[in-house]
Amino acid sequence: MFELLNISSMGIEAGSLLMLGMIIGLLILGLPLAFITALVAGFFLLFWIGPQASSLISTRVYAFVTSYAFVSVPMFVLMAAILDGSNISRDLFAAMKSFSGNIRGSVAIQTIVLAVFLAAMSGIIGGETILLGMIALPQMLKMGYDKKLAIGVVVSGGALGTMVPPSIVLIIFGLTANVSISDLFTASFLPALMLAGFYIAYVLIRGYLNPSMVPESVQEYVPWSEKFKSLKKVILPVFVAASVLGSIYMGIASVTESSAIGVLGITLSVYLRKELTWKLMVDSAYKTLETCGTIIWIGIGATLLVGVFNLMGGIEFVKGVILAHGSGSPIYIIFLMMVILFFLGMFLDWVGIVLLTIPIFMPIVIALGYDPVWFGVLFALNMQIAFLSPPFGTGVFILKTVAPPDVSLGDIFKAVIPFIMLQALAIVVLIVFPEIALWWK
């Protein structure tokens, strides 16, 4: 039967278009991406290559799911889930507020700084947006901030989790591209701070040009005793985050070992704050299982699809097409990849994007002589745009679940446009000045 239905004679060009068409068609039908990739991979395995190649594909999947570094993913997700279930983020915001002055836009700036801290403590995106939407957004709207500016600050701040170590995006990228995760963490930290700086500069400039959009903060005098009291509540969680990242950067512990330290440290912090309950740990475990289950199943499907496509000769075909359209300029090819990732980010989850595209893009990047670590940081930046961009920007829909009733999806999509432009600017700056990510080499 397989010989009668063999479609390999149609050629790799037509086969690639057929594969793409099947994926798009199944996406339109609303099937989960993990099932789509697995179904398409199974179809081409049987009717293009033949079932005899199934052992090669299964070996590839086994190597993905048994990678030692992959253990860090559930650890960091659990760390984030415990953090979300506690009041640490609220106390962080209160501590920063007590130390801030009467700077115009100080609450928006605090929100961005808080987003960086939360990203450094968790490594995942989504939970930060919910926390910021519940803590910072109502306060900014109550103070008279422009609605679009306040929404944009919250959604873009929540997306910083793709860049700030220990980013799950960077971990999955490192596993897929066979790149050192520690190097990715080191390279991404400065660009992440640069992007956060872009957000802060945007708030300050908008406040200067149009003071009605960014009200001046009028804060009552806070005694130093109260300031240190608020700081005392968060000093241990901040120390835990610094210890996790510091142990990685200094080579004291691997990423996997540091993730375990992070879980232990955050659990201890919650216990000392008298917030540790059985319900909190059970809920955190369920969130971890749900998130990691999604990542693993998408990973299995994407690994199957890429493995089959590789056996078909598709990766070499795509590599040839991209290089042929490079106009002789390696930088043009990098920009072309960024555009492809941008459009994919409008429709697909970041997990599927990294697992589907990086096995194809990475050999091209290396062949062009670029540093794969630098490209990993570019990829993470691009995934921030995917988190915000319409029509399926994950961050937009996440914020909508906790936003006030008068905030519509249209309001959120309009609000993120300036911040998408800032993210695109950060990509251009990093392409032109790769030393920002590779200063340590």
Side-chain angles (χ1 to χ4, degrees), residues 268-287:
L268 179 61
S269 301
V270 175
Y271 172 76
L272 294 176
R273 290 165 55 90
K274 295 181 172 53
E275 295 178 358
L276 186 63
T277 63
W278 178 252
K279 184 178 184 304
L280 170 63
M281 297 307 294
V282 170
D283 290 345
S284 300
Y286 274 119
K287 289 180 182 177

Side-chain angles (χ1 to χ4, degrees), residues 165 185 238-253 258 261:
F185 283 179
V238 172
F239 175 75
V240 170
S243 300
V244 171
L245 298 181
S247 63
I248 296 173
Y249 293 149
M250 297 174 64
I252 299 174
S258 297
I261 295 172

Side-chain angles (χ1 to χ4, degrees), residues 181-196:
I181 297 173
S182 297
D183 289 349
L184 287 169
F185 283 179
T186 304
S188 67
F189 195 77
L190 192 57
L193 293 181
M194 177 188 72
L195 183 59

Side-chain angles (χ1 to χ4, degrees), residues 113-175:
V113 174
L114 175 62
V116 174
F117 275 109
L118 292 177
M121 291 181 183
S122 63
I124 65 172
I125 53 179
E128 295 172 42
T129 305
I130 293 175
L131 290 170
L132 295 175
M134 295 174 63
I135 299 169
L137 181 59
Q139 184 169 352
M140 284 191 283
L141 294 177
K142 183 179 179 181
M143 292 178 63
Y145 276 77
D146 177 76
K147 181 191 287 187
K148 293 179 182 178
L149 180 66
I151 293 170
V153 165
V154 168
V155 183
S156 59
L160 286 170
T162 64
M163 285 289 296
V164 180
S167 165
I168 301 297
V169 175
L170 291 174
I171 293 174
I172 301 299
F173 178 93
L175 291 172

Side-chain angles (χ1 to χ4, degrees), residues 94-102 218-231:
M96 286 189 293
K97 184 178 178 181
S98 66
F99 278 90
S100 66
N102 295 328
V218 180
Q219 180 180 316
E220 298 180 359
Y221 173 74
V222 180
W224 279 99
S225 59
E226 291 296 321
K227 291 182 179 181
F228 284 115
K229 185 178 180 180
S230 65
L231 191 63

